[in-house]
Amino acid sequence: MILFEAPNLILALPELVLAVLAMLLLLLSVAGKAENYRLIAKMGVFALMTAAAVTFNFYGQAGTTFGGMFVADNFSSYMKLLVLAGSAVSLLMATKYLEREKTNRTEYPVLIVFSTLGMMLMISANNLISLYMALELQSLPLYVLAAIQRDSVRSTEAGLKYFVLGALSSGLLLYGSSLIYGFTGATGFEQIASALQGQTAVSLGVVTGMVMILAGLAFKISAVPFHMWAPDVYEGAPTPVTAFFAIAPKVAAIALITRVFMGPFGDMAEQWRQVIVALSIASMALGAVAAVTQTNIKRLLAYSSIGHMGYALIGLAAADKAGIQGIVIYITIYMVMSIGAFCIVLMMKQKDKMVENISDLSGLAKQQPLLALAMSVMMFSMAGIPPLAGFFGKLFIFQSAINAGLYTLAVIGVLTSVVAAYYYIRIIKVMYFENAEEELDKAADTGLNLILTAASLAVVFFILLPSPLLASAGAAAQSLIK
């Protein structure tokens, strides 16, 4: 006789709160009209911030629930707060653009909220089944968001490409999961870890399954060679959607990869480290080289994000507390830099029409010096120039690689950073040293200006107050080390 054990709902209270609010938001959006978009968007931000408040209130609570399929710890709480903040900010960034392009449909905030719920469940997944369900809940709204401009060929093409390649990655993930279940007899992370613990020779089936799971998850962070969707989708999707893709889903995906490979496969680090190293090197190299020839700033930021995910994977290759702490610090700083960069991309208008070419930034320093200064801060930080926050993100990542004896990986990371600095500095050169054929419209969106100011200050003054981030990242990393 199987005894029923009531789940500890407190551990999953943020997800439950967000799920209830998301369904209420869905009902309101169906009953409303397009002109109610602002109300629904504000309620979407309220739902996300409410979930963040609940997460913060129960920060530090640890345990598993729902039959061990859901785990809560410092790592999950920290990453969830990042995702919720990123989603709320991206929703605020989108309002003026969607109204101007007449795509301010009430389903937009609803899709953002449901996708964010999926990300939160991804971060707390403790079972291959809950992992897959959460991943699909996150991904399906993203496919719709990419194609939300139904009258735009570029947007619908972006949505279709993302959907087809996303379905392929889901297939790889499912097949890998079935192999793991077949060879270990378990889907729970603890049970898989117990089945693999102490094995002197790991079976080929387990290794194959693990690699296929990694391939499915690598797609979500657009790591090479699973990056082919990113440049086209970043360019084709509406700019606020691209900003959302760059801000929140990357955080959730890197958190999930870290949990999976430091959890059930933690004892197999020697088997998977070489694959992670290969993904990291390929991503850093392609992100540095391919972006050099780009003329579209959204495509350039797509290749830039591929490179940044390569740097984050260095921390995973280290497979220790310092490496995970480096990942948490790096991904936090990356999210803030992405928010700042996409605020400026959303401000790029000529005669009230969006423009996306790097050449459109010509002469921006003379026209709008503060905007050019903010863009310079973001680009220098992404390039890793001290004393900006991006430098410290890379510093902690490279330190973790050196401490783990991965000297070659650290050297390659430094070299690719030097190459990547070229295209970041090229944008600064265009703004300060080239003359504009046509000036950009004045950046009059108060919301975007406030968000950009906050992101710029965080990047510049991180050096003065790094301890809260370092302490939180250290506690988050410790919770994953068994």
Side-chain angles (χ1 to χ4, degrees):
M1 179 179 177
I2 301 174
L3 296 174
F4 173 74
E5 184 179 344
N8 181 4
L9 298 181
I10 293 296
L11 294 175
L13 194 59
E15 286 79 6
L16 294 172
V17 167
L18 190 59
V20 170
L21 292 175
M23 286 185 280
L24 288 173
L25 201 63
L26 177 61
L27 292 173
L28 288 170
S29 69
V30 170
K33 298 178 181 177
E35 54 265 26
N36 293 335
Y37 170 81
R38 285 209 170 203
L39 174 63
I40 300 296
K42 287 176 183 175
M43 292 179 70
V45 173
F46 172 77
L48 294 167
M49 288 296 94
T50 303
V54 176
T55 303
F56 187 78
N57 189 53
F58 291 100
Y59 198 102
Q61 289 211 10
T64 59
T65 187
F66 297 112
M69 299 183 81
F70 182 99
V71 64
D73 52 27
N74 284 333
F75 180 79
S76 65
S77 296
Y78 182 90
M79 288 299 193
K80 284 175 191 175
L81 286 173
L82 268 191
V83 162
L84 288 164
S87 298
V89 169
S90 64
L91 199 48
L92 291 170
M93 289 164 62
T95 301
K96 288 286 182 69
Y97 176 97
L98 295 176
E99 289 176 346
R100 190 170 55 251
E101 300 294 320
K102 295 182 172 55
T103 51
N104 53 331
R105 303 188 185 94
T106 51
E107 60 263 33
Y108 184 90
V110 178
L111 291 167
I112 294 277
V113 173
F114 272 107
S115 182
T116 306
L117 175 60
M119 292 176 214
M120 294 178 71
L121 292 169
M122 280 168 60
I123 293 167
S124 282
N126 199 41
N127 188 293
L128 292 174
I129 295 171
S130 59
L131 180 157
Y132 177 72
M133 296 297 290
L135 202 63
E136 290 305 297
L137 177 57
Q138 178 240 19
S139 299
L140 291 173
L142 296 184
Y143 303 147
V144 181
L145 284 170
I148 201 163
Q149 278 187 323
R150 291 176 295 205
D151 297 330
S152 166
V153 175
R154 288 204 317 168
S155 180
T156 49
E157 181 185 350
L160 184 60
K161 284 179 178 177
Y162 194 21
F163 173 71
V164 171
L165 292 170
L168 174 63
S169 74
S170 295
L172 288 172
L173 180 70
L174 279 176
Y175 190 60
S177 300
S178 67
L179 285 173
I180 296 296
Y181 174 69
F183 282 90
T184 63
T187 57
F189 288 179
E190 283 91 355
Q191 291 78 16
I192 293 171
S194 298
L196 297 176
Q197 195 171 21
Q199 289 189 13
T200 52
V202 182
S203 68
L204 181 61
V206 170
V207 174
T208 305
M210 183 180 63
V211 170
M212 295 191 80
I213 288 174
L214 177 58
L217 295 178
F219 172 88
K220 301 302 177 185
I221 60 168
S222 61
V224 176
F226 309 101
H227 68 286
M228 65 289 291
W229 62 274
D232 291 339
V233 172
Y234 270 52
E235 182 183 9
T239 305
V241 176
T242 304
F244 179 60
F245 286 174
I247 294 166
K250 293 286 179 75
V251 175
I254 201 75
L256 179 58
I257 291 175
T258 305
R259 184 177 293 283
V260 169
F261 284 88
M262 292 304 297
F265 303 123
D267 288 337
M268 295 174 60
E270 293 306 316
Q271 276 83 5
W272 54 255
R273 177 180 281 124
Q274 55 192 328
V275 183
I276 296 292
V277 167
L279 287 176
S280 176
I281 292 172
S283 299
M284 290 187 296
L286 185 94
V289 174
V292 170
T293 59
Q294 300 304 316
T295 57
N296 183 289
I297 195 161
K298 286 164 70 177
R299 286 186 75 88
L300 183 143
L301 289 172
Y303 284 111
S304 170
S305 76
I306 292 168
H308 284 297
M309 291 302 105
Y311 296 119
L313 288 174
I314 293 177
L316 183 56
D320 57 15
K321 181 186 173 182
I324 299 169
Q325 184 180 17
I327 292 173
V328 175
I329 294 168
Y330 193 88
I331 206 72
T332 304
I333 293 170
Y334 165 75
M335 191 183 87
V336 174
M337 295 188 301
S338 295
I339 288 170
F342 275 100
C343 277
I344 295 166
V345 174
L346 282 163
M347 293 178 188
M348 289 174 60
K349 301 192 298 293
Q350 288 177 349
K351 297 178 181 176
D352 212 33
K353 289 187 177 179
M354 295 298 298
V355 290
E356 298 174 359
N357 289 326
I358 295 169
S359 59
D360 294 319
L361 291 167
S362 298
L364 185 64
K366 295 176 185 175
Q367 307 157 26
Q368 303 180 61
L370 289 178
L371 194 61
L373 177 63
M375 188 60 155
S376 301
V377 166
M378 294 305 155
M379 294 299 102
F380 277 132
S381 184
M382 286 187 174
I385 306 296
L388 302 175
F391 167 76
F392 293 99
K394 289 184 178 177
L395 177 65
F396 284 105
I397 283 288
F398 294 151
Q399 275 186 339
S400 70
I402 290 168
N403 293 339
L406 302 172
Y407 303 112
T408 304
L409 187 58
V411 169
I412 292 172
V414 172
L415 292 176
T416 53
S417 291
V418 173
V419 175
Y422 167 79
Y423 60 79
Y424 292 126
I425 294 173
R426 178 164 64 100
I427 293 176
I428 298 169
K429 174 239 179 189
V430 167
M431 292 190 298
Y432 281 88
F433 300 107
E434 292 188 10
N435 296 319
E437 292 182 10
E438 190 170 351
E439 293 187 1
L440 290 179
D441 297 350
K442 290 291 181 185
D445 189 329
T446 306
L448 283 177
N449 280 315
L450 288 173
I451 293 169
L452 176 59
T453 301
S456 301
L457 292 174
V459 168
V460 172
F461 294 111
F462 171 78
I463 189 174
L464 299 180
L465 196 63
S467 52
L469 175 56
L470 302 188
S472 299
Q478 186 61 51
S479 67
L480 283 190
I481 303 296
K482 306 300 181 185

